[in-house]
Amino acid sequence: MTDETETAKPPRRRGRKPNSNINRSSILDAAITLALENGPEALSTVRIARAMDIVQSGFYAHFRNMDDCISALALRIDASVRAPIAERMAVLRQSNPSDAVTLTPYYEGLFDLIEETGPLMELFLRHRQDRSPLGAVLGQGEAALVEDLTDHLDAIMPTDRGAPALANRSVEDRRQACYVMARFLVRQTFEAVSMWREGQLARTAATRLLAEQTAVFGISAATAGLFARQVD
């Protein structure tokens, strides 16, 4: 009698995606999604590979380590967020940046940019102040935006009728005053954006409110004594 029982075959392992289908951009997309869903502390080469259903070597084919991946995220933020905003500010300097009517389209364009960048902007808004390697990189992105706006204000404020005293201060003093204003305006803008995304503030109201606030900010800052020499 012939034994026709076949030797049981081991179960086939789930296939992994070919590394050829993986690139730096797709890994960054996966890292953003992972951080949004589980927090910055969830970022690791193992978890990213698992989320993408690839072998870990697929990650290392494109990034040296997790720090290298996070640095690449910083470059994406710079190219997708900071650079377009800086370009808009450069255009704004060619018009009357102290007029709310002129400033409203600027903020509308900013909100368009926020919608276009989607998860990347969500990550930036949510975790830029976290005490984590990712939070540090996102915080640097915010600092760069403040620096860009400082340059913008430093270029326009000496001729602003609302802040004539600023033109008579030293370069260092004027720069510091513009930095304080820039940081305030950036934080104010991010707060308005967060309120809009949470449904607490309509987009049209948010853009107009920011435009109105920005238009009179130089006068408000001067009234508050920001442009006067500080005496200890």
Side-chain angles (χ1 to χ4, degrees):
M1 188 175 196
T2 304
D3 186 0
E4 297 181 354
T5 303
E6 296 183 358
T7 303
K9 296 180 180 180
R12 296 180 62 183
R13 295 181 62 186
R14 183 178 61 175
R16 299 287 187 179
K17 294 179 181 178
N19 289 346
S20 59
N21 294 335
I22 305 302
N23 53 45
R24 288 173 67 90
S25 182
S26 62
I27 292 174
L28 291 179
D29 290 341
I32 291 170
T33 300
L34 188 62
L36 284 174
E37 293 178 349
N38 301 284
E41 64 279 0
L43 287 180
S44 70
T45 60
V46 173
R47 290 187 175 183
I48 291 176
R50 185 182 303 150
M52 299 185 71
D53 195 24
I54 61 173
V55 294
Q56 206 169 350
S57 61
F59 176 94
Y60 288 114
H62 299 280
F63 297 102
R64 294 188 302 273
N65 48 41
M66 198 62 238
D67 287 342
D68 189 28
C69 181
I70 291 176
S71 295
L73 272 176
L75 293 177
R76 179 180 283 195
I77 290 172
D78 190 81
S80 302
V81 179
R82 180 192 177 189
I85 291 176
E87 290 174 4
R88 285 172 168 82
M89 284 192 288
V91 172
L92 191 62
R93 282 196 292 274
Q94 305 304 315
S95 58
N96 180 3
S98 296
D99 177 73
V101 175
T102 303
L103 285 164
T104 298
Y106 165 78
Y107 280 111
E108 289 174 346
L110 179 61
F111 275 58
D112 286 339
L113 176 65
I114 291 169
E115 290 187 315
E116 291 168 5
T117 51
L120 181 63
M121 181 59 75
E122 180 66 28
L123 184 73
F124 179 75
L125 292 173
R126 191 186 301 179
H127 296 295
R128 70 187 188 281
Q129 296 180 348
D130 286 357
R131 294 185 176 181
S132 66
L134 177 62
V137 165
L138 297 177
Q140 291 171 7
E142 179 177 0
L145 288 172
V146 171
E147 191 69 17
D148 288 342
L149 185 53
T150 299
D151 291 339
H152 173 75
L153 293 174
D154 199 15
I156 66 171
M157 289 304 292
T159 59
D160 191 325
R161 64 181 181 277
L166 196 59
N168 299 322
R169 297 184 65 179
S170 69
V171 172
E172 183 178 344
D173 287 346
R174 186 177 70 245
R175 181 77 182 179
Q176 179 60 25
C178 289
Y179 168 78
V180 172
M181 293 170 62
R183 188 173 179 184
F184 191 97
L185 287 170
V186 167
R187 292 291 178 88
Q188 176 179 265
T189 300
F190 286 153
E191 185 61 27
V193 169
S194 295
M195 292 179 68
W196 162 59
R197 293 177 71 90
E198 293 168 1
Q200 300 180 30
L201 187 63
R203 171 175 162 155
T204 53
T207 54
R208 185 65 184 191
L209 179 60
L210 287 170
E212 294 287 351
Q213 291 286 330
T214 304
V216 299
F217 193 70
I219 297 174
S220 299
T223 302
L226 183 62
F227 303 144
R229 290 189 175 277
Q230 302 298 316
V231 179
D232 294 333

